Amino acid sequence: MIDFTNSIKKNKAYAGANGSKIAVVYNGEQYMLKFPPFPTINKGISYTNSCISEYIGCKIFESVGIPVQKTILGTYTSNGKTKIVVACKDFTKPGITIQDFVSLKNRIIDSERNGYGTDLADILSTIEAQTSIDSELLKTRFWDMFIVDALIGNWDRHNGNWGFLQDMKTQEIEIAPVYDCGSCLLPQADEKMMKNIMESRELLQARIFQFPTSAIKRNGKKIGYYDFLMSDHMPYECRRALRQIVPKINIPKIVEMISDIPYITKTQKEFYGYYLSERYNQILMPAFQRLVSLEKMKRKHQNKQTMEYQEEEELER
């Protein structure tokens, strides 16, 4: 167990609305120490579980091979109160700054665009229109994040919490590791709520199919993960991400990782494992199996057409 209370503090400020953040040095490296914000929904808890959510969410991204910030859980004591905090390794350095997707959208000269607007069509058109980075790489990262966010129930992947690293000298940019995953896994759920969800199929289904939704909108409405992934109108790049990411998800390994976290209770460990397993089984697996089935039918149809064409050629000869 790590206590960050007496860590060396650095004079660096971090943006963002969710909780206080300070820069500290741990094992010779700089980290952004994030504190849990006060709850806005569940007033019955003193602070949210967002630091736990951040840690688990990032570990899941790491487990499927998506570049992500390194996170460490620990504690911090201030004014006699000890809280669980998460240290996020600072992947910037002198001359290398973080730029969010908002800033990239704002570079596109189009009066109808809004940097913070999360309409899917606008986001995708921005990815195509920008010239700062390879659009295929950018689309791949966007949809890979979407699939993992569907698993962890992230409701706040907006344009301000994913982005790029920019070299201020050369002006070159590259996609930044995934960061800011604190809005997943129902961070404002207390142990009572967790137990209720595990004991009630109705409450569980509501938190799988109704909310949380994605922060991304389509036709003015926030996207529901299940409905979108089961839709016939999924973009090709989303189908590709679904096909490639789902087989990499190892739920038993994720549950094992959660069970080894020292700072949370038995109920929390059971809930996180249960909730992730159910989201995997009820959202990602049905969508993946449907996609595989449709692709198999398509190949079968194409093979049949090829055979018929070859037979016609033989007859003509």
Side-chain angles (χ1 to χ4, degrees):
M1 303 180 80
I2 302 168
D3 184 357
F4 290 103
T5 307
N6 296 316
S7 298
I8 298 172
K9 313 299 189 298
K10 301 290 286 186
N11 186 26
K12 180 174 181 179
Y14 295 103
N18 293 325
S20 301
K21 305 173 182 71
I22 62 173
V24 300
V25 176
Y26 176 72
N27 283 349
E29 296 181 307
Q30 187 163 304
Y31 284 79
M32 174 179 66
L33 201 63
K34 297 180 73 171
F35 294 78
F38 293 106
T40 57
I41 299 174
N42 185 357
K43 304 297 184 179
I45 56 177
S46 57
Y47 55 90
T48 76
N49 294 313
S50 62
C51 291
I52 303 296
S53 298
E54 182 88 55
Y55 177 79
I56 296 174
C58 289
K59 287 296 182 183
I60 291 173
F61 271 100
E62 181 182 19
S63 74
V64 298
I66 298 174
V68 64
Q69 65 182 0
K70 178 182 178 182
T71 53
I72 303 171
L73 278 180
T75 60
Y76 192 96
T77 302
S78 178
N79 297 322
K81 295 181 180 180
T82 300
K83 295 181 180 179
I84 297 173
V85 294
V86 61
C88 306
K89 187 174 180 180
D90 192 331
F91 44 71
T92 65
K93 52 188 176 182
I96 306 295
T97 63
I98 183 74
Q99 302 287 330
D100 57 26
F101 188 72
V102 174
S103 65
L104 189 65
K105 283 191 75 180
N106 286 338
R107 295 181 193 179
I108 308 300
I109 303 173
D110 184 338
S111 60
E112 295 182 2
R113 293 181 191 273
N114 172 3
Y116 287 95
T118 56
D119 179 77
L120 177 60
D122 191 31
I123 290 173
L124 296 179
S125 67
T126 296
I127 290 174
E128 290 290 348
Q130 60 79 38
T131 57
S132 300
I133 197 164
D134 184 272
S135 61
E136 292 303 314
L137 290 177
L138 203 51
K139 280 188 287 186
T140 295
R141 175 59 60 83
F142 175 79
W143 288 115
D144 284 353
M145 286 194 303
F146 184 87
I147 298 301
V148 178
D149 282 339
L151 172 66
I152 64 180
N154 190 348
W155 51 267
D156 198 35
R157 182 72 67 193
H158 54 73
N159 298 337
N161 59 20
W162 72 286
F164 318 89
L165 294 175
Q166 181 170 19
D167 187 314
M168 301 309 292
K169 185 176 181 180
T170 66
Q171 296 302 303
E172 293 180 349
I173 71 171
E174 61 179 276
I175 303 175
V178 174
Y179 59 94
D180 208 346
C181 299
S183 296
C184 70
L185 297 172
L186 306 181
Q188 296 200 39
D190 56 16
E191 288 201 18
K192 180 180 179 181
M193 186 181 297
M194 291 177 179
K195 289 178 180 178
N196 288 340
I197 292 171
M198 288 190 287
E199 293 170 357
S200 168
R201 202 67 182 170
E202 182 179 354
L203 291 178
L204 172 67
Q205 299 298 78
R207 284 157 182 80
I208 289 179
F209 298 116
Q210 296 177 28
F211 59 89
T213 60
S214 169
I216 309 301
K217 294 181 179 180
R218 196 173 196 180
N219 300 322
K221 184 179 180 181
K222 289 185 177 180
I223 290 173
Y225 286 114
Y226 175 82
D227 292 337
F228 185 83
L229 293 175
M230 293 294 285
S231 168
D232 291 330
H233 305 294
M234 245 199 308
Y236 166 78
E237 292 82 5
C238 185
R239 297 199 302 271
R240 179 214 56 79
L242 181 66
R243 188 188 312 110
Q244 293 190 11
I245 296 297
V246 171
K248 297 178 182 179
I249 298 172
N250 188 326
I251 292 296
K253 284 287 186 183
I254 292 172
V255 171
E256 182 181 353
M257 176 270 292
I258 293 170
S259 69
D260 289 337
I261 298 175
Y263 300 96
I264 58 178
T265 67
K266 180 180 178 181
T267 297
Q268 287 176 294
K269 293 178 181 181
E270 289 177 354
F271 172 75
Y272 292 133
Y274 175 74
Y275 188 57
L276 286 165
S277 298
E278 290 296 326
R279 291 189 68 86
Y280 175 79
N281 290 327
Q282 297 195 53
I283 296 178
L284 292 187
M285 274 310 296
F288 176 76
Q289 291 169 345
R290 180 176 183 272
L291 177 61
V292 170
S293 178
L294 289 173
E295 290 181 342
K296 185 177 180 180
M297 290 174 61
K298 183 178 179 179
R299 287 194 299 270
K300 185 176 180 180
H301 178 68
Q302 290 174 338
N303 291 338
K304 182 180 179 181
Q305 285 185 320
T306 300
M307 291 178 62
E308 289 175 349
Y309 177 74
Q310 292 172 343
E311 290 173 355
E312 288 177 1
E313 282 191 325
E314 289 293 330
L315 290 173
E316 288 177 0
R317 292 196 189 105

